[in-house]
Amino acid sequence: GAGVSQSPSNKVTEKGKDVELRCDPISGHTALYWYRQSLGQGLEFLIYFQGNSAPDKSGLPSDRFSAERTGGSVSTLTIQRTQQEDSAVYLCASSLARLAGGRETQYFGPGTRLLVL
Amino acid sequence: SQQGEEDPQALSIQEGENATMNCSYKTSINNLQWYRQNSGRGLVHLILIRSNEREKHSGRLRVTLDTSKKSSSLLITASRAADTASYFCATGAQKLVFGQGTRLTINP
């Protein structure tokens, strides 16, 4: 079956512009996650959606970052007024509803490589 | 902040040899996972070990967990060129916290 897909694969933008990154989770997965991977910070959690619950935004680095998930499926991560330090690979993952003992596996997409000039 | 620290940061071995990577973490866990990443893109889930397990096998992979030392190891036996990748340990249930990773190179 299809895995997690992300678009675009690569995005080059100018400092100060807004960007939108899209994630299509695996069908039937109720949980969706965004992570960021940069040279200086490694892999960092950004935000987590679970069903209809309020998202856990505790990892978002600033109020320039926001995300939404429409219809419990596709998610969009928006970065406003991009800065050079936003350059990173943005990874999306999805998983099934939480199993007993937190055994759910997160399946990752290929990522979007963002370069802010 | 990173929960896990991985050791070594880089490892280069000959094809056919075994590769061992270690991961240490700081807080109590319910489980620990290992992921592989090729070419800095998507992460592939390899194996999950629960806190009440000490060892787990999957094909050529063997993972151990020592909760008293807050450490885990990943052993890849009979390595192949295709195993060249970065390997990360991760803890947490929903908000995964990753180590810095080990960059493994298998030389033909």
Side-chain angles (χ1 to χ4, degrees):
Chain A
V4 177
S5 61
Q6 293 185 244
S7 61
S9 298
N10 296 282
K11 176 72 177 179
V12 180
T13 191
E14 294 178 347
K15 178 182 173 181
K17 296 284 180 75
D18 297 352
V19 295
E20 286 189 350
L21 312 179
R22 177 187 167 105
C23 172
D24 282 89
I26 293 172
S27 178
H29 280 192
T30 59
L32 186 147
Y33 316 78
W34 284 97
Y35 293 86
R36 177 172 73 172
Q37 186 176 27
S38 57
L39 281 176
Q41 299 298 322
L43 273 155
E44 304 173 283
F45 164 81
L46 295 178
I47 188 169
Y48 157 57
F49 296 88
Q50 171 62 62
N52 295 321
S53 302
D56 180 338
K57 305 178 182 180
S58 59
L60 294 179
S62 79
D63 59 8
R64 296 186 296 104
F65 287 73
S66 62
E68 60 179 25
R69 189 178 184 192
T70 54
S73 182
V74 171
S75 177
T76 302
L77 177 69
T78 301
I79 309 173
Q80 296 178 307
R81 304 180 304 280
T82 52
Q83 302 295 313
Q84 289 181 332
E85 60 263 28
D86 299 335
S87 296
V89 176
Y90 289 82
L91 294 161
C92 175
S94 69
S95 69
L96 291 168
R98 182 171 184 177
L99 303 176
R103 291 182 289 118
E104 69 274 15
T105 295
Q106 294 184 25
Y107 296 88
F108 283 78
T112 293
R113 188 179 300 277
L114 175 66
L115 178 61
V116 182
L117 301 176
Chain B
S1 62
Q2 294 295 317
Q3 162 86 302
E5 295 294 332
E6 278 154 278
D7 163 49
Q9 290 188 356
L11 178 63
S12 180
I13 61 173
Q14 294 300 119
E15 195 167 21
E17 293 180 339
N18 296 340
T20 300
M21 291 159 274
N22 303 296
C23 165
S24 61
Y25 56 91
K26 297 176 182 175
T27 62
S28 61
I29 61 170
N30 291 321
N31 60 65
L32 184 143
Q33 304 182 63
W34 284 90
Y35 284 84
R36 183 185 72 216
Q37 185 178 42
N38 291 82
S39 304
R41 298 307 288 259
L43 292 155
V44 174
H45 182 262
L46 295 176
I47 196 166
L48 179 151
I49 186 166
R50 301 177 211 176
S51 60
N52 62 353
E53 297 177 309
R54 291 296 168 258
E55 187 170 311
K56 199 164 183 179
H57 296 253
S58 177
R60 293 184 296 111
L61 305 180
R62 178 187 143 209
V63 170
T64 62
L65 180 64
D66 187 337
T67 53
S68 67
K69 296 181 180 179
K70 291 186 168 58
S71 67
S72 173
S73 67
L74 171 67
L75 168 67
I76 304 174
T77 61
S79 63
R80 305 167 182 170
D83 295 330
T84 294
S86 291
Y87 292 82
F88 295 87
C89 66
T91 57
Q94 289 82 39
K95 299 187 287 187
L96 292 180
V97 180
F98 289 87
Q100 295 292 340
T102 292
R103 190 169 62 254
L104 175 65
T105 302
I106 308 299
N107 302 303

